[in-house]
Amino acid sequence: MESQLVYADLNLPRNSGIERSSPPSLLQNHCQGPHWHNFALKFGCAVIVLLALTVIGMSVSVIFIRQNTSIEKTSMDAQENRKEATERPVLLTCPMHWQKIQNKCLYFHETSKPWSDSLADCSTRESSLLLIQDQEELRLIQNLINKKAILFWIGLNLTLSEKNWKWINGSFLNSNILHVFGDAKEDSCVFISSTQFNSATCAAGNRWICQKELKPVRNKVIYSFS
Ligand SMILES: *[C@@H]1O[C@H](CO)[C@@H](O)[C@H](O)[C@H]1NC(C)=O
Ligand SMILES: *[C@@H]1O[C@H](CO)[C@@H](O)[C@H](O)[C@H]1NC(C)=O
């Protein structure tokens, strides 16, 4: 008895399984059998494939558009760089009538005026009265002055309060590098000639030299593009 009961319990799921599988066969019969089922499967698959293709197509076009815009962007960047490269050399060349010496452009004035007038004149030309770094630069500039008797103001004068020679950029003269000959008295300003580096009274009329500085750093930037 007991073993029969166990047998019946074990058989129950199998029977119910068969029962469950029978309703679809009934449905199949109602919907004209496996043909309808096949059609539904195929249609479903087609829809899924279509959806997948649409998604793939859309993502491909998105990637394409992105690449295109990035290509456009880089070509725009390149144009920008080229523009900068062509604009920058303008800053590297001296204006007409200005002489290039090392990284400066110099203008030698033909008229004679007091020191303060020459200071004002250079600033109206977006430049400053000449500053001289060292003996070597002094020699180079003196070599450009072909007539001996002509004197040119430079951007160096005496400050009474500090009793010292001061460049117009605010730095004091280092007398170990350049030495001013002549008096260091009230109202003294410095001029150069082809042979001199001297002081004179600031009210005296002399010619003068203006300078514009070129930026050698920009030069390096241009070379990195080419
Ligand atoms: C001012 O000019 C002098 C002469 O060229 C130079 O030695 C000095 O370093 C300059 N000072 C500044 C603050 O640029
Ligand atoms: C010397 O130069 C400074 C500018 O650097 C100016 O203010 C001052 O008036 C000048 N001194 C004379 C006596 O011209």
Side-chain angles (χ1 to χ4, degrees):
M1 265 303 271
E2 264 182 42
S3 63
Q4 268 181 338
L5 266 173
V6 169
Y7 179 72
D9 279 348
L10 281 172
N11 252 352
L12 245 168
R14 275 192 207 162
N15 287 341
S16 66
I18 291 159
E19 269 165 27
R20 259 183 230 141
S21 69
S22 56
S25 67
L26 271 170
L27 247 170
Q28 268 175 15
N29 289 338
H30 281 293
C31 305
Q32 280 105 49
H35 286 295
W36 179 86
H37 196 204
N38 268 355
F39 173 77
L41 261 179
K42 277 179 187 163
F43 183 77
C45 280
V47 166
I48 288 166
V49 166
L50 215 72
L51 274 174
L53 282 176
T54 312
V55 167
I56 289 167
M58 276 171 77
S59 46
V60 163
S61 58
V62 163
I63 289 165
F64 193 68
I65 286 162
R66 274 209 194 139
Q67 271 179 346
N68 261 9
T69 49
S70 73
I71 286 164
E72 266 171 39
K73 205 175 166 285
T74 47
S75 73
M76 266 168 66
D77 285 349
Q79 276 181 346
E80 202 98 308
N81 289 346
R82 243 175 280 131
K83 223 171 87 185
E84 275 176 81
T86 50
E87 274 171 5
R88 281 178 178 175
V90 176
L91 297 166
L92 283 168
T93 57
C94 291
M96 237 202 327
H97 308 307
W98 291 66
Q99 296 188 44
K100 188 174 182 296
I101 183 164
Q102 288 177 324
N103 58 343
K104 282 181 184 176
C105 303
L106 303 184
Y107 190 88
F108 294 78
H109 278 268
E110 299 289 332
T111 52
S112 293
K113 283 183 177 174
W115 186 85
S116 57
D117 289 359
S118 62
L119 179 73
D121 173 84
C122 288
S123 60
T124 63
R125 290 164 202 275
E126 290 175 331
S127 63
S128 83
L129 262 180
L130 179 65
L131 300 168
I132 301 173
Q133 198 62 48
D134 49 31
Q135 284 288 344
E136 192 203 336
E137 190 182 8
L138 177 62
R139 279 256 42 98
L140 283 172
I141 293 166
Q142 284 178 324
N143 287 342
L144 296 174
I145 304 170
N146 43 26
K147 287 181 193 150
K148 279 201 169 154
I150 303 175
L151 316 179
F152 294 91
W153 290 128
I154 64 167
L156 183 62
N157 73 3
L158 192 81
T159 57
L160 259 194
S161 52
E162 287 135 317
K163 282 228 182 277
N164 216 332
W165 297 107
K166 198 178 191 178
W167 294 106
I168 55 169
N169 66 7
S171 296
F172 286 106
L173 175 75
N174 182 342
S175 52
N176 295 324
I177 294 172
L178 289 165
H179 178 75
V180 179
F181 292 90
D183 292 334
K185 59 177 192 217
E186 203 178 334
D187 289 343
S188 288
C189 292
V190 177
F191 67 83
I192 63 167
S193 71
S194 60
T195 55
Q196 294 167 288
F197 189 80
N198 269 66
S199 70
T201 170
C202 297
N206 281 324
R207 297 186 184 187
W208 65 97
I209 304 170
C210 297
Q211 72 166 43
K212 281 178 195 274
E213 277 185 53
L214 295 170
K215 298 280 182 285
V217 179
R218 292 180 189 273
N219 212 357
K220 280 179 201 156
V221 172
I222 288 156
Y223 287 137
S224 74
F225 286 132
S226 52

